[in-house]
Amino acid sequence: MTPHTLPDPDLSPAFYADVPSKRLVAWIIDSLLVIALMIVIIPFTGFLALFMLPAVWLILSLLYRIVSLTRHSATPGMRVMSIQMRAHTGAKFGLSEAIVHTLIYTTCVSFVLPQILSVLLMATGSHGRGLGDIVLGSVMINRPTSG
């Protein structure tokens, strides 16, 4: 795989092996980390954040994903699972891709039908892409040994 192409799932199946299940485990890890961050942050607000918990969760989740995807092209959960996002060019995510992907992801998880469709697409497609990935042309791959 070069920095400007995506690996073909037929020619390089190792890049896509077990990615949907790894995404699920990464999502669980990331969810637990966001909850842990909320538990740490709430006392620093004098517990006032408890009165606006959904807004605090939303802001923290957005920042967590955007910063992680911009810096490493993967969230901490994805890094634990050795997977990462790649843009349609094959390059690692930059700030604009991270923002757009995070907004699409957040919209999908906010509504049942788009989330179900996204999960079904990940589980059945050769690239394991969700709705956000399809819109952006991005993929989640097993992390290459170099790069």
Side-chain angles (χ1 to χ4, degrees), residues 6-19:
L6 291 174
D8 184 299
D10 294 325
L11 300 176
S12 303
F15 279 110
Y16 300 96
D18 302 320
V19 168

Side-chain angles (χ1 to χ4, degrees), residues 62-140:
L62 288 170
L63 290 173
Y64 175 90
R65 282 187 66 83
I66 291 169
V67 170
S68 298
L69 289 175
T70 301
R71 293 188 70 200
H72 303 286
S73 205
T75 63
M78 292 174 196
R79 290 172 54 200
V80 166
M81 297 309 298
S82 296
I83 54 178
Q84 67 181 199
M85 299 296 306
R86 290 295 177 128
H88 69 282
T89 61
K92 291 183 177 183
F93 266 27
L95 179 60
S96 60
E97 291 97 353
I99 289 171
V100 174
H101 195 277
T102 299
L103 291 175
I104 294 169
Y105 162 79
T106 302
T107 302
C108 283
V109 298
S110 298
F111 300 99
V112 175
L113 291 179
Q115 184 59 19
I116 291 171
L117 178 60
S118 194
V119 170
L120 286 173
L121 289 168
M122 282 183 232
T124 59
S126 62
H127 285 84
R129 291 177 166 164
L131 284 177
D133 305 324
I134 291 169
V135 169
L136 289 176
S138 60
V139 294
M140 178 82 68

